[in-house]
Amino acid sequence: EEPPGAGAGEDGYDYGKGDFVEHACRYCGIHSPACVARCNVPSCRKWFCNSRGNTSGSHLVNHLVRAKHKEVCLHKDSPLGETILECYNCGCRNVFLLGFISAKAENVVVLLCREPCLNVNALKDMNWDLSQWLPLIDDRCFLSWLVKVPSEQEQLRARQISAQQINKVEELWKTNPDASLEDLEKPGVDDEPQPVVLKYEDAYQYQNVFAPLIKLEADYDKMMKESQSKDSVTVRWDIGLNKKRVAYFVFPKEDNELRLVPGDELRLRYSGGTSHPAWQSVGHVIKLTAQEEVALELRASQGVPVELSHGFSVDFVWKSTSFDRMQGAMKTFAVDETSVSGYIYHHLLGHEVEHQIIRNTLPKRFGAPGLPELNASQVLAVKSVLQKPVSLIQGPPGTGKTVTSAAIVYHMAKQGQGQVLVCAPSNVAVDQLAEKISSTGLKVVRLCAKSREAVSSPVEHLTLHYQVRHLDTSEKSEMHKLQQLKDEQGELSSSDEKKYKALKRATEREILQSADVICCTCVGAGDPRLSNFRFRQVLIDESTQATEPECLIPLVLGVKQVVLVGDHCQLGPVIMCKKAARAGLAQSLFERLVILGVKPFRLQVQYRMHPCLSEFPSNCFYEGTLQNGVTVNERQSTGIDFPWPVPNRPMFFYVQMGVEEISASGTSYLNRTEAANVEKIVTTFLRSGVVPSQIGVITPYEGQRAYIVNYMSRNGSLRQQLYKEIEVASVDSFQGREKDYIILSCVRSNEHQGIGFLNDPRRLNVALTRARYGIVVLGNPKVLSKQPLWNSLLTHYKEHECLVEGPLNNLKQSMVQFQKPKKIYN
Amino acid sequence: DDGIPVGSDEDEGVEVRQKVVQVDPKEQEDFDRELKALLQESLESRKSEVRTRSTLNMKVPMNVLEGSKDQRAGESESGEETMDEEGGNAGGGSKVRVKVLMKKGHKQQTRQMFIPGDCPLVQSTKEQEAAELEE
Ligand SMILES: [Zn+2]
Ligand SMILES: [Zn+2]
Ligand SMILES: [Zn+2]
């Protein structure tokens, strides 16, 4: 909608503010004008600094020697201004021959060449002191009072280039003068990308590792989404409140991993026939129904073929925005030294940094108005975070991490350090946080992507676009008039549109500036509307579900204090490209910091699960530290008549021996026996008085998910509508959520292939910790017991007499033999 | 903008436990050899050039000589900014203001610059002045 500027990203924003400093040292990136000079050879003209870095000579001297270039020009902001260094007498520009001499009596100095001018006899008779000729280059470095040596801080934050790299890049410049250091390390097309590491020399190395991984993921995403065209789509038409055309159609989700989400862009096409010419329009998904019907708000308002309903095609319009912003953030991180504080810069790169304490007056109480009272571990978390520039908070399932985060943000905002930025990778998490923070009385603005403005949100009143529309002051009346006109007509004249946009932008800015807290997704923090904002304090929730470059986007806006909230024992970010995943893109920043030795602060009291359900996860994933904030009584299913094998223990492992099958798409699995038994369990729950919204069916495989939905609606013995209201989802998509009753279908059941997805302990943790009142696990113990973790889970169920088989109304303890666990990774 | 100064003072206190930079002696040797070769080659090329440059125009112009006796940094009359202090790599100690005589095209001009008090360039003028005083 906004015209993309030259070389700018998708949304017209030039990524990385300090992006291209022309006079940055081509080796290390240092760019203070006093410290750099330009090689004056016409074919070269590159800038270099006067620091030695990791080499014996300064970068400037290194270049001149390696390239055999001999002329230098100073920066215009240097003490001598933009000057080509040359002999005052003969004009010789060879810096290897130049030096200063001074006048005998005065504080006047001049550059003179060693040969021949220094040896001209006539000079000796004048007032110059020739005995003290001071060469420009001394000890492999330029005179430091002519071209300053960068400070130690500056050098530490620069690219740590080695002598070998210098030689290599100089070699490369001989054939390709515009090559960059990155070109040295670019992997070939078929090469495996460089894997991530724990520590990085500098932000350039960081960028060298992550940029290719993000590129791989972006390419994969593009390829996959653009191959998702559907033909013969039937459309039903509607008009939205904003007078825009909305098309409803079914976009069947096959059992691949493509997930359509609100805000996605689709193109609706009609290829033309005898009755109607060809037509197409792009629109945004504003809603997805449980029946997989998509509501698409079209951009075009005129010429829409509303009289037609059949024969449409739908394509996915891939956007590079989020990937562009990640790349931009990495660039900013490297070249702009104001992007993050020095402490955070070195900390994130894994350098050993002297401990720092933030001297803040701590509040008397750590809770916040409008929030529930904090428990002891939550109070400690808030307290420790407020005093540290970098902290990690680990929130196991149900431990109240949103409340804790909200309390932290409340106290940060009260410290008067400016606005606080609050982010999370997912929109759902951002909405939840925004709501909680707003209940403390702070002024919260929820910034949504423009493509999501029509998507309904539980915190509508906090969103920027809502506040812009409802800001009620007289000076805004002109904007409101234009808004009304736009709503009525669908569009404005180009001059009105211009005026409207300017007014809107000013209003947005005003509202954003008056907020205490701004909430958006990590990618949203790269929104151009925030490009002039600086945030010293940033909190990122669900940070273990974001990739590192994603996490970086909110950080490079000037952060000095960062809080990462998450749980590295639950699932990490979803990476579609296997190559990128193998190279380690799926490891979050939080996780890397933990491995580097940063101890996360763990919240320890869980308020979700029946104590019986939290026992295994606590012992297995949290060293037994998880305490129960809910009692058995509070989680008793009173009045629910369900055949739990042990009455006070609402859990069982239901032994299944049916075989797995490969799904129609060939990329996923399903298991018919398990699906049939899932339906029976669901029906039993419903009969016993549980309502559909209390039940969640989860499974690791998309193929099984689709099969269960289908099977229940066709074979369920109760009203079909009841089954339709039951949420059937993948384990991964259920992270962060809960249901009263969870049914987990494991699917995998084979002789030799292993258990795939189920191997990941974090997926098992997520699956086991979604239920509040009760859980039923369906799977094949013979197969699952080969994996050590599943083996201990099965043993746990068996010891509690909850490993059962047989018909639901006559469950018996199973005597199935487990296999010896062995370490298999597949 | 919310008016917060960027990159402010708090940032100064970062202590990074830094690895000691070790220059590979082989690399250094290699570099020194190339540097020496370049120097040598430069000198040779100049020597072989015909020495016809007799028109020496090295007179210090009169206006430069006026009122420029050994002024220390910081006591400048015009109140202009002195060298920034934090650099600390210009030799430390006091700094002396010098005028650098340059040519822009055919015009002479001077630019002001500060050099460390212990720089040999300054030493010579100091000695000279001292000698003059004794006379
Ligand atoms: Zn050059
Ligand atoms: Zn450099
Ligand atoms: Zn000369």
Side-chain angles (χ1 to χ4, degrees), chain A residues 66 88 115 140 149 354, chain B residues 32 34 51 89 103 108:
Chain A
R66 297 298 189 191
Y88 182 75
E115 189 68 37
R140 315 174 190 93
V149 176
E354 212 63 65
Chain B
D32 282 345
E34 271 194 60
R51 294 197 183 191
N89 42 36
K103 267 188 206 141
Q108 289 178 317

Side-chain angles (χ1 to χ4, degrees), chain A residues 53-243:
Chain A
N54 305 317
T55 57
S56 54
S58 85
H59 288 165
L60 183 52
V61 177
N62 248 293
H63 166 68
L64 298 172
V65 169
R66 297 298 189 191
K68 300 207 167 23
H69 292 170
K70 295 165 191 165
E71 295 184 16
V72 164
C73 179
L74 300 180
H75 191 274
K76 67 175 173 16
D77 297 333
S78 74
L80 297 187
E82 186 172 357
T83 311
I84 298 168
L85 297 172
E86 58 184 24
C87 173
Y88 182 75
N89 186 49
C90 74
C92 160
R93 292 177 169 181
N94 183 333
V95 288
F96 294 97
L97 294 174
L98 294 176
F100 280 104
I101 55 167
S102 59
K104 277 179 185 153
E106 309 300 331
N107 284 340
V108 177
V109 300
V110 73
L111 266 179
L112 201 71
C113 75
R114 215 172 123 183
E115 189 68 37
C117 296
L118 190 63
N119 297 319
V120 170
N121 283 327
L123 254 184
K124 287 174 184 153
D125 307 330
M126 293 189 205
N127 274 329
W128 297 100
D129 178 6
L130 301 182
S131 64
Q132 292 289 352
W133 180 82
L134 192 63
L136 260 183
I137 299 172
D138 183 30
D139 186 21
R140 315 174 190 93
C141 196
F142 266 69
L143 289 172
S144 63
W145 42 264
L146 187 65
V147 185
K148 270 176 73 176
V149 176
S151 72
E152 205 172 309
Q153 294 279 327
E154 264 177 295
Q155 292 193 41
L156 274 174
R157 270 185 91 154
R159 183 197 274 122
Q160 306 297 309
I161 187 171
S162 69
Q164 286 82 351
Q165 283 174 303
I166 287 179
N167 293 345
K168 264 199 213 158
V169 79
E170 285 290 353
E171 208 49 49
L172 196 57
W173 282 338
K174 284 177 188 161
T175 50
N176 176 12
D178 296 323
S180 70
L181 271 160
E182 283 68 38
D183 296 331
L184 282 181
E185 275 140 88
K186 259 188 197 146
V189 197
D190 296 320
D191 289 352
E192 281 292 316
Q194 251 188 90
V196 303
V197 288
L198 276 183
K199 301 180 183 192
Y200 297 87
E201 283 279 300
D202 52 51
Y204 293 91
Q205 191 203 353
Y206 185 88
Q207 194 186 358
N208 280 348
V209 169
F210 279 102
L213 301 185
I214 293 299
K215 173 83 170 43
L216 278 173
E217 181 69 3
D219 290 347
Y220 188 92
D221 192 54
K222 182 170 196 281
M223 187 264 295
M224 205 183 57
K225 287 189 170 145
E226 288 184 345
S227 67
Q228 293 295 314
S229 290
K230 288 268 179 307
D231 294 323
S232 326
V233 173
T234 301
V235 173
R236 140 178 102 76
W237 299 100
D238 199 2
I239 288 184
L241 287 173
N242 55 3
K243 302 284 190 304

